[in-house]
Amino acid sequence: MVSDWPKAAVVGWPAKHSLSPLIMKTWLDETGQPGDYVIIECEPDAFAEAVRARFHAGLVGVNVTIPHKEAALQAADTSSDAACAIGAANVLVWRQGRIEADNTDHVGIARALESDSGSGPAVLIGSGGAARAALYHLKSQDREIRILNRTADRAKALAQDFGLTAEIYALDDAAAFEGASLVINATSLGMTGQPPLTVDLSATASDALVFDMVYAPLKTELLVQAEQLGRRTTDGLIMLVGQARPAFEAFFGAPAPAHDEVRGALLAALEQRA
C-alpha cells in the first residue's frame, strides 16, 4: 500500500512551483525505491507546529524552502555542523521522535563549483541564506573574498559570522570583479519576475567561472554576459539537483542514481512553464 511507504515533502510559502517533487519522484521511479513525495504550503508563523504535526502523522522528512529555512533550524532538536554554521536548514528528518536539521545547499554549491580552481578572488553577490551557504563552501579556501550587497553592514556581518576578512562592495561597483576567478550570484536578482542583476563581468579573469543560483530562467542575463565574454558558466539546476541527493538518501534510505538524467525532466518542466 502506498500509504505504508515512506513519505517526504517540500515545505514552503508558496511551494506549488517547487521542482523538488519532480526530482524526488524521478529518482524513486529510477531506483524502484518505495516512497512518496508531496508539497506542503505553510504560512511562516505556523511552520514549526505544522511540521512537527506532520512528522507525528508519519512524514519521514521535509525539504525546506523560502521563507522557512531559519525557522527550520530553530524547530529542530539537533542540527548538523553545516546547518549551525550556515544558520539555516533546508532538510529536516524525523528520527526516533526527534527532528534533525541539516543544510545540504553547500553540497549542491560544491557540485556546481567542481570546475572552480579554488584560487583567485571570489565575488559573492548577496548576503542571505544562499550566500551563507556559499560562504560556508568558500571559507576553507585560501583566496580573497569580495561580497557585493545592497547593504554594506549586512555584508560585513556575514563575513564576521564566518570569521573572514572580506572586501565589501556596492552592487554597482565594477571594481569588485577585477581579476576575479569566480563569481557567484546568491540572490534572486535576474529570476523571472524579479529585478535584473546588472553587473559588468568584463574585468574578470579570462578563465573565470560564473555561477548563478537562479534556474528560472536557466540561462540568466548574467550567464549570457559571461558566455559572450568567453567565461565558463554553471547554472542553478546543478545546485538544485546536488542539494537534493543527500536529502533523498536521508528520506528513503537509498542513494539517488549516480547519473543526472533527472536534469532532462527538469529542463522539460522549465520549458513548459516558460
Side-chain angles (χ1 to χ4, degrees):
M1 295 290 292
V2 173
S3 59
D4 295 329
W5 290 356
K7 179 182 285 188
V10 58
V11 183
W13 185 258
K16 290 179 181 178
H17 67 285
S18 175
L19 292 174
S20 291
L22 178 57
I23 295 173
M24 297 297 181
K25 289 182 178 181
T26 297
W27 284 342
L28 286 170
D29 288 343
E30 289 183 5
T31 61
Q33 185 74 15
D36 194 16
Y37 192 92
V38 299
I39 292 174
I40 298 173
E41 290 196 317
C42 175
E43 294 185 26
D45 58 0
F47 175 81
E49 182 178 348
V51 167
R52 191 168 288 273
R54 294 295 185 114
F55 280 142
H56 280 290
L59 213 63
V60 298
V62 296
N63 290 111
V64 183
T65 188
I66 295 172
H68 300 313
K69 290 186 179 183
E70 291 183 5
L73 182 63
Q74 296 170 0
D77 299 303
T78 62
S79 305
S80 68
D81 291 343
C84 290
I86 294 169
N90 71 325
V91 173
L92 296 179
V93 179
W94 182 249
R95 285 196 178 97
Q96 298 179 340
R98 292 169 63 82
I99 298 176
E100 298 181 4
D102 195 9
N103 192 307
T104 65
D105 282 340
H106 72 98
V107 178
I109 291 169
R111 185 68 176 267
L113 298 182
E114 284 180 343
S115 64
D116 173 41
S117 65
S119 62
V123 175
L124 175 61
I125 305 171
S127 63
R132 294 183 68 88
L135 206 54
Y136 180 82
H137 170 77
L138 295 173
K139 70 174 185 175
S140 62
Q141 301 175 357
D142 184 19
R143 70 195 308 171
E144 179 184 346
I145 296 175
R146 305 166 183 171
I147 301 176
L148 276 70
N149 198 56
R150 292 192 186 98
T151 307
D153 287 345
R154 186 167 180 180
K156 291 176 183 177
L158 172 63
Q160 290 171 356
D161 284 348
F162 285 88
L164 296 172
T165 300
E167 296 293 327
I168 309 300
Y169 294 83
L171 277 175
D172 59 354
D173 193 341
F177 298 93
E178 184 68 38
S181 64
L182 175 64
V183 177
I184 300 173
N185 176 32
T187 75
S188 61
L189 296 175
M191 182 185 295
T192 302
Q194 297 295 321
L197 174 60
T198 306
V199 297
D200 184 356
L201 300 174
S202 59
T204 56
S206 60
D207 62 344
L209 177 65
V210 180
F211 169 39
D212 199 332
M213 293 188 189
V214 170
Y215 56 80
L218 186 61
K219 187 168 287 190
T220 62
E221 292 183 11
L222 181 72
L223 297 186
V224 169
Q225 179 189 170
E227 289 181 354
Q228 291 173 343
L229 291 168
R231 309 305 191 249
R232 298 176 299 129
T233 62
T234 184
D235 61 60
L237 277 190
I238 299 173
M239 175 183 171
L240 182 68
V241 174
Q243 62 82 31
R245 288 184 175 279
F248 180 87
E249 184 165 1
F251 298 158
F252 302 111
H259 51 80
D260 280 333
E261 288 187 10
V262 70
R263 183 178 174 89
L266 292 170
L267 291 173
L270 289 173
E271 184 176 351
Q272 189 174 21
R273 292 180 182 185

